[in-house]
Amino acid sequence: MHDGSPVLDDLDPDIRRFQREVAAAYGRYPDFDRLPLAERRRVAEDVRAPWTAGGPVMAATEERRIGPHGVRIRIHRPDHRPDMPILVYIHGGGWTMFSLDTHDRLMREYAARAGVAVVGVDYSLSPEAKFPVALDEIVSAIRWLRAEGSALGLDASRIAIAGDSVGGNMSIAANLRLRAAGEPVLAAMLVNYGALDSRPVHPSYTRYDGPDYNLTTAEMAVFWANYARDAADLDDPFACPMRADPAGLPSAFFAIAECDVLADENLAMASRLADAGSAVTSRIYAGATHSFLEAVSIAPLADRALEEASAWLAMQLGGTSR
């Protein structure tokens, strides 16, 4: 029984506001989990729309379909400098939801802050497209940029990759695929609260599970089930980077939300990469939940995280950090 003393909230106040407002927006659809998948995706786009509004204005934005898969990409340029380095961005959403639109502000933030051209990849979603379709599309986009980027006025020799949640997963996996094919890995990778281990064995899955946070253990189980074709995929290192040999992977920055079911697997992956010889920078953002970067319009904590990662990216790529 509560004794009347104040109940301490472990979330940053602005991140708690973000979490509550997102939860309330989904709460307008009490039957959300029973809606057809297409309708759930539409609702998710609506819920995220206020958080992707505003932010930096780009000098140019264009879309095109590229490569043998006809993948749609969106290119944000913060200015008109020639030979700008490239950041490939892979959005999160459990392989099941979200889009270039839900993550457009994050892409523009990195473009403006790091002084890079950001290329968002509109990969195919699960469960319609199972592993490895999305990863194939991302690797195809990287190869296309290496071949054609200079024709767009970009520096194809300076490419990094970044992503949040499952986008962090596929950022690492894309480098694993390039390494396996005997191709150079990318210059750097930025992992924002990545979904890196298919088994919920880490303590943070218990500590930060439930409706007070932005991602639950049950949701992650559904996402993995949507992505994998069968149980064997859950052990495939291209699907589950925690199973991979980390030798020879690029320098990495891990932005880790303290109050996230995925926090401990990000710490573990960062440690494995460092032990294998990669230069690793890890930042744990106290009081942050999964998806907290999307709260940049109201949260100084998200602003700081974006600024720190962007400064690191500019250093890795030779961009022009503001």
Side-chain angles (χ1 to χ4, degrees), residues 25 30 40 69 98 127 141 150 163 187 238 244 250 264-265 277:
R40 277 183 279 146
H69 298 277
F98 299 161
S150 59
F238 295 133
D264 287 343
E265 64 197 64

Side-chain angles (χ1 to χ4, degrees), residues 26 32 39-49 97-98 102:
Y26 279 116
F32 178 79
E39 184 65 9
R40 277 183 279 146
R41 286 173 176 158
R42 186 197 65 76
V43 169
E45 295 280 325
D46 288 347
V47 167
R48 275 332 203 251
M97 295 189 180
F98 299 161
T102 59

Side-chain angles (χ1 to χ4, degrees), residues 153-191:
L154 304 175
D155 187 347
S157 70
R158 293 186 290 164
I159 305 177
I161 192 167
D164 57 283
S165 195
V166 303
N169 170 303
M170 293 188 289
S171 295
I172 298 175
N175 280 290
L176 292 169
R177 285 280 298 274
L178 293 170
R179 185 189 68 181
E183 301 171 45
V185 298
L186 298 174
M189 55 187 184
L190 165 60
V191 180

Side-chain angles (χ1 to χ4, degrees), residues 238-269:
F238 295 133
C240 178
M242 197 66 76
R243 305 281 181 272
D245 173 2
L249 292 182
S251 300
F253 187 107
F254 283 78
I256 301 170
E258 178 194 33
C259 304
D260 180 8
V261 294
L262 305 182
D264 287 343
E265 64 197 64
N266 281 259
L267 289 167
M269 191 72 207

Side-chain angles (χ1 to χ4, degrees), residues 144-222:
W144 185 88
L145 285 166
R146 282 178 159 171
E148 305 294 337
S150 59
L152 300 177
L154 304 175
D155 187 347
S157 70
R158 293 186 290 164
I159 305 177
I161 192 167
D164 57 283
S165 195
V166 303
N169 170 303
M170 293 188 289
S171 295
I172 298 175
N175 280 290
L176 292 169
R177 285 280 298 274
L178 293 170
R179 185 189 68 181
E183 301 171 45
V185 298
L186 298 174
M189 55 187 184
L190 165 60
V191 180
N192 295 324
Y193 32 82
L196 308 175
D197 197 344
S198 58
R199 291 179 173 82
V201 296
H202 304 275
S204 54
Y205 267 98
T206 300
R207 173 66 183 85
Y208 298 111
D209 194 18
D212 287 338
Y213 306 99
N214 272 355
L215 179 66
T216 68
T217 301
E219 286 173 320
M220 276 310 309
V222 171

Side-chain angles (χ1 to χ4, degrees), residues 130-131 224-225 227-235:
K130 295 279 192 174
F131 169 82
W224 280 107
Y227 187 48
R229 294 166 298 187
D230 52 38
D233 280 349
L234 299 177
D235 288 323

